[in-house]
Amino acid sequence: VIGSFDQDFLNVPAEALVSSMQKHQKYFPVFDHDNNLMPHFIALANIESTDESQVIKGFEKVIRPRLADARFFWEQDIKKGLESNFKMLEKMTFEKQLGTIADKCRRIKETMFHFALHLDLDILHAERSSVLLKCDLVTDMVNEFPDLQGIMGGYYAKAQGEDDEVALAIKDQYKPAFSGDNIPSTDLGKLLSIADKMDTLCGIFAVGKKPTGNKDPFALRRASLGIIKILQESKLAINIYELIEFSVNQIAIEGLDKKQIRTEVEDFINQRLKHNYLEQGISHDVVDAVMDLKPQKLTDCNERILACEEFKNDISAPALAAANKRISNILKKSEESIPDKVTLMLLKEDHEKNLLGAIESIKRRYSQEVENRQYNQAFKYLTSLATPVDNFFDNVMVNDEDATTRLNRLAILKQLNDMFKAIANISLLEI
């Protein structure tokens, strides 16, 4: 049956009315074509009635006080004001060793100030959003409907005259909340969500409660995937490793081995990132080849992986991957101090001259393409080295008995190795 309720109830945020209908009465809300809530609902009756209007009246009678409660919570919370709730967060424990929810908000504020110093972010908006971030946790509405936390904070912030960007950032703070969920729509919202999730991630690792097996009470896997999704889909120039270090440094636990915690959090996020790529069908060796270099920005990591996947199918890729592996092994075994520059006068063999010439012919353009993150084009330059590299190894003795000749040849390989590893450690490709 289809029932109705008073139009005046629509002055209450739609999410609160929907929660009231769904959670309490199992009614279906009704929306128009623009996704605006309408003053109607759909309900199911498991009886056959000769007077359907009486059944509808019964449903309407039951929902009216529920919606009135939601309106009462909304009006009372607005009267109190959102910021006045902050002092109550001083009594709410986030985690025993990490302090209260208010302490968490202060750490988030420091991270937001850090973002404001390095990114194009309004510092006043950063501060306001950090202070108000969790204030809706102690409102009557969220106490009744816990699933509305964050959402109601955004509404209350807007109702008390906060900037629209601040209100929207608070509303979006838990996004993405599930697989397939959207990321926050503004840079302030993205950064606020990242700061909150990273604080939880680093803090819980610091107190030794990281996930084990299927147990993840603090939803750290979801938090790390949320951070990854936001950084991959946005253009925020955030160094993920610097952010982890900054967040760990905010944790005030005496005797904490911060270096170990940073390493654990880095490994945890990288594992989630790798799993994410594998689920997308990217081969594990491509992921390993790129992540071996620990790209600082996840958007850059994404571009490198896509380019490396394409390069793997190139006809010259097997030879270059094998050469990269051989060069890496030679350089690792050498205990000598290899010069950074090649001395032209020490070149004896035509094939070593040809290899150096091939390197010099593409080096500047290759470096520009890498710097501009045009990795597909950069890989095309690398493929031109396949033949001179093969000829070099077939005809030149790298470990010559003469020390100056040997070090000069090692210097060529060092240059080549640096070029190979500018995009990915292609020696890890399984071709």
Side-chain angles (χ1 to χ4, degrees):
V1 295
I2 299 176
S4 303
F5 54 84
D6 293 341
Q7 183 90 19
D8 290 346
F9 283 123
L10 295 181
N11 293 322
V12 179
E15 290 89 343
L17 300 179
V18 169
S19 283
S20 186
M21 283 188 271
Q22 290 182 333
K23 304 291 182 185
H24 290 311
Q25 302 304 137
K26 311 300 182 188
Y27 291 0
F28 294 90
V30 179
F31 298 86
D32 64 18
H33 290 294
D34 295 321
N35 206 33
N36 297 311
L37 184 65
M38 301 178 71
H40 306 291
F41 61 84
I42 295 172
L44 300 178
N46 61 346
I47 59 172
E48 292 185 14
S49 174
T50 55
D51 188 354
E52 188 176 293
S53 64
Q54 293 302 314
V55 177
I56 294 172
K57 285 181 180 179
F59 281 120
E60 292 175 342
K61 182 179 179 181
V62 173
I63 196 61
R64 198 172 298 117
R66 293 295 192 183
L67 299 182
D69 286 344
R71 179 167 59 190
F72 176 77
F73 297 146
W74 166 248
E75 292 171 349
Q76 291 300 110
D77 288 336
I78 286 180
K79 286 179 185 178
K80 287 186 290 186
L82 192 58
E83 190 171 3
S84 67
N85 294 329
F86 189 84
K87 60 182 179 293
M88 296 177 68
L89 300 182
E90 301 279 11
K91 301 176 183 178
M92 290 183 68
T93 301
F94 168 58
E95 199 283 331
K96 187 176 180 181
Q97 297 180 68
L98 299 172
T100 64
I101 299 292
D103 292 326
K104 179 177 176 63
C105 289
R106 294 187 187 99
R107 293 193 297 269
I108 292 171
K109 183 167 73 172
E110 290 302 316
T111 304
M112 294 300 287
F113 282 172
H114 174 73
F115 285 149
L117 288 173
H118 297 88
L119 304 171
D120 184 19
L121 182 66
D122 188 303
I123 196 165
L124 294 178
H125 289 173
E127 180 179 20
R128 289 303 291 167
S129 59
S130 303
V131 170
L132 300 175
L133 185 64
K134 305 296 181 182
C135 286
D136 69 345
L137 293 178
V138 291
T139 60
D140 291 337
M141 186 73 83
V142 172
N143 183 58
E144 181 71 16
F145 303 110
D147 59 307
L148 296 183
Q149 57 187 274
I151 294 172
M152 293 311 304
Y155 280 116
Y156 292 137
K158 188 170 183 177
Q160 70 180 33
E162 298 293 337
D163 186 273
D164 285 348
E165 189 176 15
V166 171
L168 185 55
I170 293 170
K171 187 177 181 181
D172 286 350
Q173 65 180 279
Y174 295 106
K175 288 186 174 182
F178 51 85
S179 178
D181 192 16
N182 294 327
I183 65 173
S185 56
T186 65
D187 283 350
L188 179 64
K190 292 166 190 170
L191 293 170
L192 197 64
S193 178
I194 289 171
D196 185 15
K197 290 173 172 60
M198 188 61 81
D199 176 76
T200 299
L201 195 57
C202 294
I204 299 305
F205 265 80
V207 299
K209 295 183 178 179
K210 58 185 178 183
T212 55
N214 292 327
K215 294 181 179 179
D216 187 10
F218 290 90
L220 300 188
R221 294 187 181 95
R222 187 173 68 192
S224 62
L225 289 172
I227 293 170
I228 289 169
K229 185 176 175 68
I230 293 172
L231 290 178
Q232 283 184 332
E233 295 185 11
S234 67
K235 296 181 180 179
L236 298 171
I238 293 176
N239 182 321
I240 185 71
Y241 300 106
E242 285 182 359
L243 175 58
I244 292 170
E245 181 177 8
F246 186 88
S247 297
V248 171
N249 286 338
Q250 301 305 305
I251 301 168
I253 297 179
E254 191 174 345
L256 180 66
D257 187 341
K258 293 186 177 181
K259 184 177 180 181
Q260 180 185 340
I261 300 305
R262 287 202 308 270
T263 301
E264 289 181 1
V265 174
E266 287 175 7
D267 290 345
F268 185 77
I269 289 180
N270 284 335
Q271 286 170 12
R272 304 280 81 70
L273 183 59
K274 181 176 180 178
H275 182 71
N276 210 12
Y277 281 120
L278 295 179
E279 283 192 331
Q280 295 175 38
I282 305 294
S283 56
H284 71 92
D285 57 325
V286 169
V287 179
D288 289 339
V290 172
M291 293 186 63
D292 186 65
L293 304 187
K294 299 182 74 171
Q296 298 173 347
K297 299 177 178 65
L298 297 194
T299 48
D300 182 43
C301 180
N302 204 46
E303 292 166 5
R304 288 170 184 258
I305 282 178
L306 294 177
C308 195
E309 181 90 343
E310 185 172 328
F311 165 74
K312 187 179 175 181
N313 296 319
D314 190 279
I315 191 170
S316 62
L320 287 173
N324 190 192
K325 187 176 294 185
R326 186 173 180 180
I327 291 168
S328 296
N329 290 334
I330 292 172
L331 295 176
K332 281 179 185 177
K333 290 177 181 178
S334 175
E335 297 179 356
E336 299 173 287
S337 179
I338 303 172
D340 292 326
K341 293 185 178 180
V342 179
T343 303
L344 295 177
M345 294 180 63
L346 294 175
L347 298 176
K348 300 176 180 179
E349 305 285 345
D350 287 341
H351 291 295
E352 62 181 332
K353 294 176 184 178
N354 291 340
L355 176 56
L356 182 62
I359 292 172
E360 293 298 331
S361 70
I362 69 164
K363 193 172 184 179
R364 184 180 60 82
R365 289 172 294 171
Y366 174 76
S367 297
Q368 286 178 343
E369 298 294 1
V370 171
E371 187 177 343
N372 294 330
R373 290 163 56 172
Q374 299 298 316
Y375 299 122
N376 284 323
Q377 187 60 40
F379 268 127
K380 289 178 181 178
Y381 283 119
L382 272 190
T383 59
S384 68
L385 299 178
T387 299
V389 167
D390 280 346
N391 290 336
F392 175 86
F393 280 120
D394 289 342
N395 299 282
V396 177
M397 174 65 71
V398 176
N399 290 317
D400 193 273
E401 291 182 1
D402 179 68
T404 54
T405 301
R406 180 174 63 251
L407 288 173
N408 204 47
R409 288 171 180 171
L410 288 172
I412 296 176
L413 297 186
K414 185 178 179 182
Q415 282 195 25
L416 193 55
N417 191 56
D418 290 343
M419 290 179 70
F420 279 146
K421 291 190 174 180
I423 306 175
N425 185 356
I426 61 173
S427 67
L428 298 178
L429 294 179
E430 299 173 359
I431 308 175

